[in-house]
Amino acid sequence: MPGVVWGEYPQRLEAVAVPAAPLAVQVVDALRVRLNCALDAPRAVLRRRRDARMLKNVRTQQAAWASLDPVAHGASLADLRARLARDGWDGRHLELRAQALGCAAATGQRILGRNPFDTQLLAANVLLDDRLAEMATGEGKTYAAALAAAVAGLAGIPVHVMTANDYLVERDAQQLEPFFAALGLTLGSVLAASSPDARRGAYACNVTYCTAREVAFDYLRDGLVAGSAGSELQQRTRRLTGSDAAAPLLRGLCMALLDEADSLLIDEATMPLVLAQQAADPQQRAMCFAALALARQLQPGIDVQLDRDAGRIVWLDAGTLHLERASADLEGAWRNRQHRHDMVSAALEALHLLERDQHYLVADAKVALLDAVTGRAAPGRVWSRGLQTLVELKEGCTPSPTTVTRAQISFQSFFGRYLRLCGMSGTLTEARAEIRALYGREVVMIGLHRPSQRQVWPERLFADSAHLWQAALRRVVALHALGRPLLIGTDSVPDSEAFCARLAAAGVAHQLLNARHDQAESQIVARAGERGCVTVATRMAGRGTDIVLGPGVAELGGLHVICCQDNPSPRLDRQLIGRAARQGDPGSAETFRTLDAARRRDTWTSRLLRVCRKHDDDGAFALPSWLVRHWAARLQAEDEARQIRQRRRLLEQDREWERRLSFTTLHA
């Protein structure tokens, strides 16, 4: 649509403004979770028996398909597609599922040279049940997703396989195209740079590899076009006559298969997707200039309090009085008390809460947001409500054009519109109760193909970040001298660069992966398992790319991971630790924690730990590992509870937006 741009507007929800759920609701939720946990054991027994029967049937079918000559294979494949299109693969037709999975497995073995593991077949079966599968890192999620997508494609169901970024979209589509072609299926891919015609063609394929953001924004674009293209009869007439210049990009939301599902369903659920249109608004820009000037006159601790954990500004009486006096001579919208209060609050947030290289980057005189989950730069994303302009003015950049919201949706609402929704990730168990409540999907644990050899070393707690980084450096130097590869996870760009400076001073060669170096992300991560390689990465940089051990590394003990991150969820801890010891390889991992975050939260646990005065040689508290884990789990539970409330609030906001616009075709 001419003049329309898109962007993700992370509306900064005030956690303290989100009321806690009523006590009765909390009790019911807790009882529901306990009941489901109690039923998990008998369910698991039944599932194992059912899975064993399914695997036996699939392997029998795989052998039968592999024995067919080309002519017989083509005829049988055509018959299978017709039966799947007519009957599907659910309920009474599970034998069709086994036959289709056997066909896909035989084709994968013949074309790709990869005979799927039993665990991959089990995961594909879970996906075809519209459930979520937890598979450990390196267990072959990409191939399992391809098997499930192939079965759905054979049944005539359009499948959107959504992965983490454009690199993985392009990589998977190129590697798997011969596999789908051998099954008579077409494969398309949608990248950020794809033109409308290319997108339309990709979505017309049986299977489409894409990122969730691209599909969601294409859905919003289609809604805008449909809402301005006349009646449904007029639109159909134009399509039939070939005169429809604005044909929809998508052909419906049939089946979504999510890779790294927890990232999309949970971590990014609080980020509304907003389709915006540029609009010249000099008055808004002038207000941003004035708001920033006023905010610089206010002093934290005297006029306002900075609540960094909640990401909000708390006004004190002195600050409110100061603002009233300073804005008394201003005209226009400044006469509205709520409006000037909101504008100056946003300016204070830009000045004091949003930090360069942690929340955003400045490159080529432009402000680029950083994804809070992955640590990657997020081109196309902007803040709403004048916050983007305020940050640009703060950094001395040319303000970007003002935008007006045309349509919006959240991942929570968007994924709920698919007829079939399934996915996989290495870390889903902790979020299964919320996934069940929000999306109505069950999480199934898939076992390991080979027994894990990962050694998890004791967790260590340090008084402050300085002691933590000193200990991390000593650990790196010691293991690097043995030739072992290391992966160090940090929270932010400044942390990663500061630690790299320590490594350089110690004479340790290393590679850095953060938002400034994400162009070579896959290459950096692919080398992380080589002998003596030291890699420093922020958050989940490199997620989705396998770390393969180099020659002789297994004999040295494999990859060692050091988690130095203050993660708000144990899922994020497991995601980093899971990079070590994949597919039965040797490896080890450990977690370093600091009291810095606890002091900000001011919890009773931090006060309790502060009285401990005994330290080891590295400056870590002399505490048992289980106590450190318990302390961290309490802090993470507080963070997760706040995030759950934020996600619920966003879902309610999204539904309210839909109710207000229910007369349009976009939200019908």
Side-chain angles (χ1 to χ4, degrees), residues 329-480:
D329 298 332
L330 297 177
E331 300 293 335
W334 284 105
R335 293 189 175 278
N336 183 292
R337 177 179 299 176
Q338 187 62 46
H339 188 72
R340 65 173 174 261
H341 181 276
D342 291 343
M343 283 297 299
V344 178
S345 294
L348 288 165
E349 183 178 356
L351 286 174
H352 303 295
L353 298 183
L354 297 178
E355 299 181 13
R356 185 171 179 168
D357 294 336
Q358 180 173 348
H359 300 101
Y360 62 90
L361 292 176
V362 178
D364 299 326
K366 294 182 179 180
V367 172
L369 274 65
L370 293 179
D371 190 295
V373 179
T374 66
R376 300 183 181 98
R381 296 188 188 179
V382 294
W383 283 296
S384 61
R385 302 172 185 172
L387 189 56
Q388 180 77 19
T389 301
L390 289 164
V391 173
E392 290 167 340
L393 292 174
K394 164 192 170 183
E395 296 293 345
C397 301
T398 302
S400 54
T402 305
T403 57
V404 177
T405 298
R406 297 295 306 276
Q408 75 176 42
I409 199 171
S410 68
F411 278 141
Q412 293 180 97
S413 295
F414 175 66
F415 289 132
R417 300 180 184 208
Y418 275 89
L419 295 177
R420 288 181 172 271
L421 176 64
C422 57
M424 53 191 9
S425 177
T427 48
L428 284 167
T429 304
E430 293 90 345
R432 60 182 177 179
E434 185 178 3
I435 289 173
R436 184 187 296 119
L438 287 178
Y439 303 98
R441 297 298 188 271
E442 297 294 327
V443 173
V444 178
M445 291 276 294
I446 304 296
L448 298 175
H449 171 56
R450 296 173 182 153
S452 174
Q453 296 189 49
R454 182 184 304 119
Q455 297 179 2
V456 181
W457 296 2
E459 294 193 16
R460 306 175 73 189
L461 179 64
F462 298 87
D464 51 44
S465 297
H467 287 90
L468 182 149
W469 295 119
Q470 287 177 354
L473 180 62
R474 293 192 190 99
R475 181 76 80 203
V476 170
V477 170
L479 294 180
H480 179 66

Side-chain angles (χ1 to χ4, degrees), residues 134-135 137 146 150 163 167 197 206 209 231 236 283 311 319 382 393 397 485 493 497 529 547 591 664:
E134 176 172 304
M135 291 184 75
T137 300
T163 189
Y167 164 76
D197 288 340
N206 300 113
Y209 276 74
S231 67
R236 291 183 180 180
Q283 183 180 7
V382 294
L393 292 174
C397 301
V493 171
E497 294 178 342
I547 298 179
T591 302
T664 68

Side-chain angles (χ1 to χ4, degrees), residues 509-564:
H510 59 278
Q511 52 184 5
L512 172 62
L513 177 55
N514 60 26
R516 300 188 197 277
H517 306 83
D518 59 359
Q519 297 299 318
E521 178 175 350
S522 59
Q523 293 85 349
I524 293 175
V525 175
R527 295 195 301 267
E530 296 178 359
R531 184 185 181 101
C533 184
V534 177
T535 306
V536 180
T538 53
R539 289 294 180 181
M540 290 314 297
R543 188 177 184 184
T545 305
D546 288 338
I547 298 179
V548 181
L549 298 184
V553 172
E555 291 74 15
L556 298 174
L559 176 71
H560 182 72
V561 172
I562 305 177
C563 178
C564 300

Side-chain angles (χ1 to χ4, degrees), residues 64-335:
W65 281 98
S67 66
L68 295 177
D69 61 77
V71 175
H73 186 280
S76 298
L77 183 59
D79 177 67
L80 175 62
R81 295 186 68 168
R83 292 169 60 200
L84 280 170
R86 184 187 66 225
D87 299 329
W89 63 74
D90 296 322
R92 296 182 297 106
H93 305 288
L94 293 179
E95 75 284 353
L96 275 180
R97 180 190 303 188
Q99 188 175 352
L101 274 175
C103 176
T107 302
Q109 186 174 13
R110 176 169 55 89
I111 301 298
L112 303 176
R114 298 167 60 184
N115 184 22
F117 307 140
D118 287 351
T119 52
Q120 291 173 318
L121 291 173
L122 290 174
N125 185 59
V126 167
L127 297 176
L128 292 170
D129 274 337
D130 284 353
R131 295 184 291 176
L132 302 177
E134 176 172 304
M135 291 184 75
T137 300
E139 288 293 302
K141 292 188 287 291
T142 300
Y143 194 15
L147 294 171
V151 173
L154 291 173
I157 296 178
V159 186
H160 296 159
V161 182
M162 303 181 194
T163 189
N165 52 54
D166 278 358
Y167 164 76
L168 295 177
V169 168
E170 198 167 17
R171 183 201 69 178
D172 294 348
Q174 289 177 352
Q175 292 180 353
L176 295 170
E177 195 278 333
F179 165 72
F180 287 106
L183 292 169
L185 302 175
T186 54
L187 175 66
S189 61
V190 176
L191 306 175
S194 298
S195 66
D197 288 340
R199 292 169 183 266
R200 196 174 291 111
Y203 291 130
C205 294
N206 300 113
V207 180
T208 306
Y209 276 74
C210 51
T211 62
R213 290 171 56 239
E214 295 301 325
V215 183
F217 279 112
D218 285 339
Y219 174 73
L220 291 178
R221 292 187 186 101
D222 280 349
L224 286 180
V225 171
S228 60
S231 67
E232 179 67 20
L233 180 59
Q234 291 171 325
Q235 296 174 47
R236 291 183 180 180
T237 301
R238 284 195 294 269
R239 286 197 291 268
L240 288 173
T241 59
S243 60
D244 189 3
L249 301 173
L250 294 160
R251 54 179 178 140
L253 303 180
C254 300
M255 180 174 179
L257 199 164
L258 312 180
D259 191 13
E260 309 297 357
D262 58 330
S263 177
L264 294 172
L265 299 178
I266 302 297
D267 297 328
E268 297 191 27
T270 57
M271 191 170 295
L273 304 167
V274 177
L275 194 67
Q277 183 175 23
Q278 292 185 359
D281 190 355
Q283 183 180 7
Q284 172 71 8
R285 185 170 299 183
M287 289 197 67
C288 290
F289 273 103
L292 202 62
L294 288 171
R296 286 189 167 120
Q297 299 176 20
L298 301 173
Q299 300 181 41
I302 298 176
D303 298 310
V304 294
Q305 291 285 357
L306 306 179
D307 188 345
R308 297 186 182 277
D309 290 332
R312 74 181 195 115
I313 303 296
V314 179
W315 284 84
L316 303 178
D317 291 340
T320 302
L321 181 60
H322 189 139
L323 178 61
E324 295 295 328
R325 291 174 177 172
S327 60
D329 298 332
L330 297 177
E331 300 293 335
W334 284 105
R335 293 189 175 278

